[in-house]
């Protein structure tokens, strides 16, 4: 797991967009598992990357629909993804289980439940890499800890590579093996979080 830190405008989210192929690099190349991403179709590239955003976007459908998102729900795959995201237990307690409506923008669920549905959606495609853009910053502190434990379990059980953007140093320390510090679109420092944040020149 790599944590990506830096001030506003340092280039963190731009790096995520480059990796997903939403924007093209002006120079240089981007490699995914040794392959230049220009040799991959956008569909093939994005099928290998799971994305979890700060604000999960849920449609006014069922839990299963939101996890499958854009695909015909395969209930076996949906349930497996929910278990990996530690969402299966609360989903099973909903009035209609996986067929329960989530409400407009997930209004019938709590913030932590919505985020775990979003994580399950990202995992439902069996990605090789999970990109997480401030995924717990909108949650209460007590819920943050629960969701961060989910990410730790995902890393341990599924062995996914993870890139974790966060402004919260406590979050970074919780999830990351390595930290990349960005400034003005450039990686200016890399190392274990304890060493990086001990640097008196660090902007945080």
């Amino acid at each position: 797991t790599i944590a990506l830190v830096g001030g506003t405008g340092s280039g963190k989210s731009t790096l995520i967009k480059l990796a997903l192929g939403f924007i093209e690099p002006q120079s240089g190349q981007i490699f995914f598992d040794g392959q230049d991403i220009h040799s991959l179709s956008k569909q093939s590239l994005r099928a290998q990357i799971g994305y979890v955003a700060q604000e999960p976007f849920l449609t006014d459908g069922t839990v299963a629909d939101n996890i499958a998102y854009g695909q015909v729900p395969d209930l076996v795959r949906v349930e497996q993804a929910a278990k990996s995201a530690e969402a299966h237990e609360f989903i099973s307690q909903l009035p209609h289980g996986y067929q329960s409506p989530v409400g407009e923008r997930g209004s019938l669920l709590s913030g932590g439940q919505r985020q775990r549905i979003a994580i399950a959606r990202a995992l439902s495609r069996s990605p090789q890499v999970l990109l997480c853009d401030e995924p717990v910053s909108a949650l209460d502190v007590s819920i943050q800890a629960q969701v961060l434990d989910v990410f730790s379990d995902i890393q341990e059980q599924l062995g996914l590579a993870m890139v974790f953007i966060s402004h919260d140093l406590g979050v970074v320390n919780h999830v990351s093996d390595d930290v990349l510090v960005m400034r003005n679109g450039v990686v200016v420092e890399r190392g274990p979080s304890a060493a990086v944040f001990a640097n008196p020149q660090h902007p945080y």
Side-chain angles (χ1 to χ4, degrees):
T1 299
I2 291 177
L4 203 57
V5 303
T8 301
S10 62
K12 303 182 303 295
S13 294
T14 299
L15 199 59
I16 295 285
K17 292 174 184 176
L18 284 164
L20 288 165
F22 290 138
I23 56 177
E24 295 292 328
Q26 295 178 354
S27 62
Q29 294 170 280
I30 302 171
F31 292 90
F32 188 96
D33 201 20
Q35 287 184 276
D36 188 322
I37 65 170
H38 281 110
S39 69
L40 304 171
S41 69
K42 292 290 192 292
Q43 183 178 10
S44 173
L45 174 67
R46 292 170 189 165
Q48 299 178 73
I49 300 175
Y51 178 66
V52 183
Q54 176 180 348
E55 291 286 348
F57 176 76
L58 301 187
T59 62
D60 189 9
T62 67
V63 170
D65 290 337
N66 274 279
I67 294 176
Y69 195 63
Q71 302 180 21
V72 177
D74 177 334
L75 294 183
V76 172
R77 181 183 286 258
V78 163
E79 187 172 313
Q80 172 94 37
K83 287 178 177 177
S84 295
E86 296 184 18
H88 176 71
E89 184 175 348
F90 87 77
I91 293 171
S92 299
Q93 294 173 357
L94 295 174
H96 304 289
Y98 284 85
Q99 300 308 316
S100 297
V102 302
E104 187 175 352
R105 300 186 69 84
S107 60
L108 299 179
L109 303 176
S110 70
Q113 289 172 337
R114 288 195 296 272
Q115 195 59 290
R116 276 178 279 185
I117 293 292
I119 296 168
R121 174 193 294 166
L123 296 178
S124 69
R125 289 161 172 75
S126 302
Q128 295 184 46
V129 176
L130 200 58
L131 302 181
C132 308
D133 193 352
E134 297 276 9
V136 298
S137 61
L139 303 177
D140 293 338
V141 173
S142 60
I143 304 301
Q144 278 189 14
Q146 296 174 21
V147 175
L148 287 174
D149 285 342
V150 172
F151 284 111
S152 296
D153 290 343
I154 288 170
Q155 184 188 33
E156 183 176 332
Q157 295 170 15
L158 303 182
L160 292 181
M162 292 171 56
V163 178
F164 215 96
I165 292 178
S166 180
H167 284 91
D168 188 322
L169 302 190
V171 168
V172 169
N173 283 320
H174 189 104
V175 300
S176 67
D177 302 315
D178 219 5
V179 176
L180 299 182
V181 181
M182 293 192 71
R183 192 176 297 123
N184 298 324
V186 177
V187 175
V188 296
E189 192 173 355
R190 177 174 185 165
S193 58
V196 168
F197 298 132
N199 183 347
Q201 300 301 317
H202 197 278
Y204 301 97

